[in-house]
């Protein structure tokens, strides 16, 4: 393998963005990736003609780093409808803010998800965040999301329990609402400005697009790294590879292990997604469906092919059902419990659905509780010559992963330039 100035461990979004920026700075790089493809946690597999992302994922087109890095039109983003359908009291209730249209807003104004004043508070919250610069938004105090909703914005307990707890729980993979209010503001602003969408051909299109800007020999796949040192790594096969600098661009727990336990440990939230094939219906709607009762195992579900038709073969629908955490019981029992709940949502046809796959993602998102985000962007320089990036060093989103990769590249380029002086 030709020697590169910088070795990057991991070809997820952070590692790819780091490599892209370093090459723009004239620095040669080599990425070592344990898996058989780029993307890290952002991967898509084709199963029986269906496009299955690894765990339920969406992209938020308003992400500021994404707008800078990605060619969004080339992703052919397919949007979900704004708002959500909340299952409560035996049927779905539509929740949106009044700015989304008078008729839709009027229909939801008096539903039991919250009070009429709560719906107006949603509009006020959206207006306030949309008119706050990103830098100021993320520089504010980092308290609990629950306190922000209750005290700052005055939402009722009904609105918090029936809408915000399950909706945000699906985003944070944590329903406690102890997540940093700073992260809540960032996420809500992103949803409010651009909604949520899927690349037409799967989430894999995002890392593939970034990787396409790199030379074909830049990424070495199927190459797990077992040890990282200053200016060198040891591949699992025993090979030693040297360079002027090393960047660890893996998930938080793996990075902590490769650093020999240096620095604080990174705790993560897990998530489980079940993918089902069903007969496509004319009533399929591209909107998130959320459990507002909190009595079932499924937190949220979506008909992915209603948003992005290429996710399913002609005449079929692709449904995802997401469970927060990693259930202790095996897939057959998990499938049984999920179908039992979704039968109420979709009717008896659920019994005929085909289970395509179950994704159990243990390290889906790093913990974003208030204390973890006291510092919005954590240092990426361990010491000159050794760096770490990923969403655990920024905030738990695609945008955070890409941003941390850019910051790591900047730190590497500055240190390499200084060493030449």
């Amino acid at each position: 393998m030709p020697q590169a100035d910088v070795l990057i461990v991991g070809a997820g979004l952070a590692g790819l963005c780091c490599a892209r920026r370093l090459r723009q700075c004239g620095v040669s790089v080599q990425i070592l990736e344990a898996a058989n493809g780029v993307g890290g946690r952002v991967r898509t597999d084709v199963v029986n003609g269906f496009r299955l992302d690894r765990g339920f994922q969406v992209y938020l087109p308003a992400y500021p780093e994404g707008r800078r890095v990605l060619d969004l039109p080339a992703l052919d983003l397919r949007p979900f409808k704004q708002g959500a359908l909340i299952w409560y009291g035996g049927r779905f209730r539509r929740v949106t803010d009044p700015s989304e249209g008078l008729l839709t807003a009027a229909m939801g104004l008096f539903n039991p998800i919250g009070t009429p004043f709560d719906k107006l508070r949603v509009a006020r919250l959206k207006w306030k965040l949309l008119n706050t610069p990103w830098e100021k938004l993320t520089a504010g105090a980092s308290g609990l999301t629950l306190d922000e909703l209750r005290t700052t914005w005055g939402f009722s307990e009904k609105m918090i329990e029936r809408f915000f707890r399950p909706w945000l729980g699906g985003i944070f993979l944590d329903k406690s609402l102890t997540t940093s209010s700073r992260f809540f503001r960032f996420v809500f602003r992103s949803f409010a400005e651009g909604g949520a969408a899927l690349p037409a051909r799967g989430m894999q299109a995002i890392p593939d697009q970034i990787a396409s800007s790199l030379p074909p020999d830049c990424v070495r796949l199927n190459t797990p790294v077992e040890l990282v040192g200053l200016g060198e790594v040891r591949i699992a096969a025993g090979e030693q590879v040297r360079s002027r600098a090393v960047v660890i661009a893996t998930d938080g727990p793996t990075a902590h292990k490769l650093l020999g336990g240096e620095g604080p440990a990174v705790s993560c939230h897990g998530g489980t997604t079940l993918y089902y094939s069903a007969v496509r219906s004319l009533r399929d709607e591209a909107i998130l469906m959320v459990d507002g009762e909190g009595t079932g195992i499924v937190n949220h579900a979506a008909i992915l092919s209603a948003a992005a038709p290429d996710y399913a073969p002609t005449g079929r629908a692709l449904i995802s059902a997401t469970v927060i955490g990693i259930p202790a019981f095996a897939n057959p029992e998990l499938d049984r419990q999920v179908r039992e709940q979704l039968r109420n949502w979709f009717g008896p046809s659920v019994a005929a659905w085909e289970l395509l796959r179950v994704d159990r993602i243990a390290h889906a998102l790093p913990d974003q509780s208030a204390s973890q985000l006291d510092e919005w962007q954590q240092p990426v320089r361990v010491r000159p010559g050794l760096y770490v990036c990923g969403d655990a060093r920024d905030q738990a989103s695609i945008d955070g992963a890409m941003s941390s990769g850019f910051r790591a590249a900047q730190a590497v380029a500055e240190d390499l330039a200084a060493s030449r002086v």
Side-chain angles (χ1 to χ4, degrees):
M1 183 173 65
Q3 186 170 350
D5 290 327
V6 180
L7 291 172
I8 300 175
V9 182
L13 294 178
L16 292 171
C17 286
C18 182
R20 177 179 181 270
R21 179 56 181 161
L22 283 171
R23 284 191 53 80
Q24 291 172 344
C25 296
V27 178
S28 62
V29 299
Q30 178 77 62
I31 302 177
L32 306 176
E33 168 58 46
N36 63 355
V38 301
R41 281 165 282 162
V42 184
R43 297 284 303 275
T44 304
D45 305 302
V46 178
V47 177
N48 298 337
F50 293 87
R51 298 183 187 277
L52 307 186
D53 298 323
R54 297 193 181 177
F56 174 75
Q57 303 178 49
V58 294
Y59 183 74
L60 307 189
Y63 279 150
E65 186 70 6
R67 285 178 167 176
R68 191 182 66 80
V69 170
L70 299 172
D71 180 353
L72 294 180
L75 293 176
D76 192 11
L77 294 172
R78 304 303 179 94
F80 284 90
K81 289 184 177 179
Q82 292 270 18
L85 294 177
I86 310 299
W87 180 264
Y88 184 79
R91 65 185 180 93
F92 282 117
R93 322 281 181 152
R94 193 175 298 269
V95 171
T96 184
D97 73 77
S99 67
E100 294 302 324
L102 291 177
L103 179 60
T104 301
M107 291 173 63
L109 193 62
F110 297 99
N111 69 35
I113 300 305
T115 69
F117 293 108
D118 284 323
K119 313 309 191 307
L120 298 175
R121 291 182 185 107
V122 169
R124 177 168 160 260
L125 171 62
K126 179 179 177 179
W127 182 89
K128 175 68 174 178
L129 297 185
L130 285 175
N131 287 278
T132 302
W134 287 104
E135 296 77 12
K136 186 176 180 181
L137 201 69
T138 56
S142 180
L144 304 182
T145 294
L146 181 59
D147 292 340
E148 178 110 343
L149 294 172
R150 277 177 176 165
T151 306
T152 305
W153 296 102
F155 285 106
S156 71
E157 289 302 308
K158 289 197 302 182
M159 189 69 172
I160 291 172
E161 294 303 316
R162 298 171 189 175
F163 174 68
F164 280 110
R165 193 178 296 279
W167 184 70
L168 291 173
I171 297 168
F172 303 152
L173 293 181
D174 176 17
K175 296 174 71 171
S176 69
L177 296 183
T178 59
T179 299
S180 164
S181 57
R182 186 181 290 169
F183 187 45
F184 160 71
R185 292 191 292 270
F186 176 83
V187 167
F188 197 93
R189 159 72 183 270
S190 299
F191 270 100
E193 184 172 339
L198 293 170
R201 300 182 67 81
M203 293 294 289
Q204 181 81 50
I206 297 173
D208 282 351
Q209 184 185 105
I210 302 170
S212 68
S213 66
L214 304 174
D217 61 351
C218 182
V219 182
R220 184 175 171 183
L221 301 174
N222 302 305
T223 307
V225 170
E226 63 179 14
L227 188 65
V228 170
L230 196 60
E232 67 175 3
V233 304
R234 187 173 74 203
I235 298 170
E239 179 184 357
Q240 298 281 132
V241 187
R242 298 184 180 278
S243 65
R244 298 179 63 198
V246 176
V247 180
I248 301 174
T250 64
D251 63 61
T254 302
H256 186 69
K257 180 180 178 181
L258 289 173
L259 286 170
E262 184 175 350
V266 177
S267 59
C268 291
H269 298 300
T272 303
T273 300
L274 296 87
Y275 288 107
Y276 293 96
S277 163
V279 175
R280 181 168 292 177
S281 167
L282 294 177
R283 293 176 297 173
D284 291 351
E285 186 176 4
I287 192 168
L288 192 68
M289 292 165 274
V290 179
D291 177 25
E293 295 180 333
T295 56
I297 191 171
V298 176
N299 182 74
H300 58 273
I303 305 174
L304 303 179
S305 53
D310 284 349
Y311 265 58
T314 302
R316 304 297 295 179
L318 176 63
I319 298 103
S320 70
T322 299
V323 176
I324 295 176
I326 310 297
F329 37 84
N331 289 347
E333 174 60 18
L334 175 62
D335 177 37
R336 186 194 67 77
Q337 292 193 29
V338 167
R339 288 178 193 263
E340 182 177 330
Q341 181 179 352
L342 295 189
R343 190 177 293 111
N344 294 325
W345 294 16
F346 297 99
S349 64
V350 169
W353 289 2
E354 176 191 357
L355 177 63
L356 297 169
R357 192 171 75 183
V358 178
D359 286 344
R360 296 171 181 255
I361 315 293
H363 300 151
L365 290 175
D367 177 27
Q368 299 287 272
S369 59
S371 60
Q372 298 297 317
L373 276 185
D374 285 341
E375 191 173 14
W376 181 248
Q377 294 181 327
Q378 298 180 33
V380 292
R381 182 187 289 107
V382 179
R383 63 185 68 90
L386 183 60
Y387 311 81
V388 61
C389 60
D391 57 359
R393 291 279 165 167
D394 223 282
Q395 30 83 17
S397 70
I398 286 174
D399 203 71
M402 294 191 293
S403 174
S404 72
F406 181 88
R407 293 192 297 114
Q410 292 293 94
V412 171
E414 290 170 8
D415 289 349
L416 291 182
S419 69
R420 294 190 182 101
V421 176

